[in-house]
Amino acid sequence: MDKKLLVVNADDLGASQGVNRGVADAHTRGIVTSASLLVTGRACQEAVRMLADLPDLGVGLHFDVCGEDERSFDVHDVEGVREEFNAQLDQFVDLVGRAPTHVDSHRHVHRHSFLRPLFRELV
């Protein structure tokens, strides 16, 4: 019989203390198997510290150019998106100490048709 695996991913890890607590609780209860870290989130540092106690939690990059921090970013500037992606990926590795298990994006920006080729290349 083939083994089946269900991945339950939680977005926005690092967005707030409440989100961080919710992800940790859902993971320790066996619900959440991975999370996507928002390196631009206001509670990112807390989330990274929390990861030390959650060694079985897969952690990916939740790429963000829309931001909860009210910054403006021109997603049509493909080269700017590339630079921001690389900066956030570097920041993820610096914070977590390894490459992400996966990459997704805040508010699904990677699904814009004009950005799909870029994300295919980057990821």
Side-chain angles (χ1 to χ4, degrees), residues 88-105:
Q88 288 185 32
L89 182 59
D90 289 345
Q91 186 176 0
F92 180 97
V93 171
D94 288 346
L95 289 167
V96 179
R98 60 171 174 77
T101 58
H102 65 279
V103 175
D104 57 25
S105 64

Side-chain angles (χ1 to χ4, degrees), residues 4 29 38-39 52 55-56 60-61 63 67 71 74 79 81 95 117:
K4 298 193 189 251
R29 291 173 184 257
L38 196 61
V39 298
D56 295 329
L61 172 63
F63 176 65
R71 65 189 171 134
D74 180 6
E79 198 52 43
V81 171
L95 289 167

Side-chain angles (χ1 to χ4, degrees), residues 45-94:
Q45 294 294 329
E46 176 196 64
V48 170
R49 287 189 300 274
M50 182 183 79
L51 292 175
D53 296 327
L54 305 171
D56 295 329
L57 181 66
V59 183
L61 172 63
H62 197 49
F63 176 65
D64 174 33
V65 291
C66 310
E68 298 299 318
D69 58 358
E70 302 302 319
R71 65 189 171 134
S72 61
F73 193 95
D74 180 6
V75 295
H76 290 89
D77 176 5
V78 175
E79 198 52 43
V81 171
R82 175 191 304 278
E83 290 172 11
E84 182 65 15
F85 179 88
N86 287 325
Q88 288 185 32
L89 182 59
D90 289 345
Q91 186 176 0
F92 180 97
V93 171
D94 288 346

